[in-house]
């Protein structure tokens, strides 16, 4: 007897090596740092705040995008507070800005990204970073691409951190876009 259910071809999901090949060496190190931070903090997924924290720690170009030392110190202070306990209110919850549908299983692969163990918002930000690099004609996304993608998602945890640290996320995204010679990306892209 034949199965009457039509067969839907499976889309191949990029693995971590394929993703890393689309990132600069510096951004691949940021992703590794964010993954390590999420594990150390006991979080189920890499979220946008993990990515922001790792970006600021690892990438001098990202640090230079801020308005100066005091602003950067406030953001880092907030991120440190989160990592030592402030973020407990986020533990056990899935970060979702509405950019992509929430998946029932946090270990699932976010469709089309190959980012297993990432919040939907973090996966959307990485996809946005890859799109920004592609629009510039670059084969690899860098830290500023990810920073701009994070800053344009006004519902993500990274923007909550930025705002509490006194950063105007819209202005930050504009500065990064101006530095790259691109227009300000639309929210959620």
């Amino acid at each position: 007897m034949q199965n009457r259910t039509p067969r839907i071809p499976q889309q191949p999901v990029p693995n971590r090596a394929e993703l890393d090949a689309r990132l600069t060496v510096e951004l691949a190190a940021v992703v590794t740092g964010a993954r390590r931070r999420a594990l150390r903090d006991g979080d189920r997924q890499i979220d946008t705040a993990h990515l922001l924290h790792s970006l600021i720690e690892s990438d001098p170009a990202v640090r230079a995008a801020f308005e100066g030392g005091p602003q950067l110190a406030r953001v880092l202070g907030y991120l440190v507070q989160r990592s030592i306990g402030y973020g407990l209110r986020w533990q056990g919850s899935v970060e979702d800005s509405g950019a992509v549908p929430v998946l029932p299983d946090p270990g699932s692969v976010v469709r089309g990204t190959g980012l297993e163990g990432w919040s939907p918002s973090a996966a959307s930000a990485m996809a946005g970073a890859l799109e920004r690099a592609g629009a510039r004609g670059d084969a690899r996304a860098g830290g500023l691409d990810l920073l701009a993608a994070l800053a344009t998602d006004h519902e993500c945890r990274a923007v909550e951190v930025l705002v509490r640290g006194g950063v105007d996320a819209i202005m930050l995204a504009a500065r990064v876009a101006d530095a790259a010679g691109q227009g300000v990306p639309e929210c959620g892209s």
Side-chain angles (χ1 to χ4, degrees):
M1 181 168 196
Q2 292 182 339
N3 185 353
R4 299 197 188 266
T5 306
R7 184 160 187 239
I8 300 171
Q10 296 267 338
Q11 294 294 323
V13 177
N15 60 33
R16 189 181 299 175
E18 290 169 347
L19 175 65
D20 286 351
R22 298 186 61 196
L23 307 178
T24 62
V25 171
E26 296 81 8
L27 188 53
V30 165
V31 170
T32 299
R35 185 175 292 114
R36 189 172 36 249
R37 182 173 304 288
L39 288 170
R40 186 186 68 227
D41 292 349
D43 294 332
R44 298 183 315 172
Q45 297 177 328
I46 295 172
D47 68 23
T48 59
H50 295 123
L51 290 171
L52 178 64
H53 200 158
S54 190
L55 268 172
I56 290 172
E57 284 183 336
S58 303
D59 194 326
V62 166
R63 289 191 297 274
F66 287 84
E67 291 179 346
Q71 185 183 62
L72 192 56
R74 284 191 307 272
V75 171
L76 274 173
Y78 188 80
L79 287 164
V80 168
Q81 287 177 5
R82 180 204 183 223
S83 68
I84 61 173
Y86 179 83
L88 290 177
R89 66 186 177 87
W90 287 338
Q91 283 185 343
S93 67
V94 174
E95 176 188 36
D96 179 35
S97 66
V100 294
V102 176
L103 300 173
D105 175 11
S108 295
V109 175
V110 179
R111 297 181 200 284
T113 63
L115 301 174
E116 186 174 323
W118 290 51
S119 74
S121 296
S124 178
M126 185 57 73
L130 294 169
E131 287 174 20
R132 285 178 55 81
R136 256 194 338 271
D138 287 343
R140 295 175 183 229
L144 289 174
D145 295 316
L146 183 55
L147 180 63
L150 290 170
T152 59
D153 184 350
H154 304 292
E155 301 296 320
C156 75
R157 291 176 181 169
V159 168
E160 182 181 339
V161 169
L162 291 170
V163 168
R164 296 218 180 201
V167 176
D168 182 331
I170 294 169
M171 293 300 296
L172 178 64
R175 271 195 309 277
V176 172
D178 287 345
Q182 296 177 325
V184 178
E186 292 182 21
C187 184
S189 67

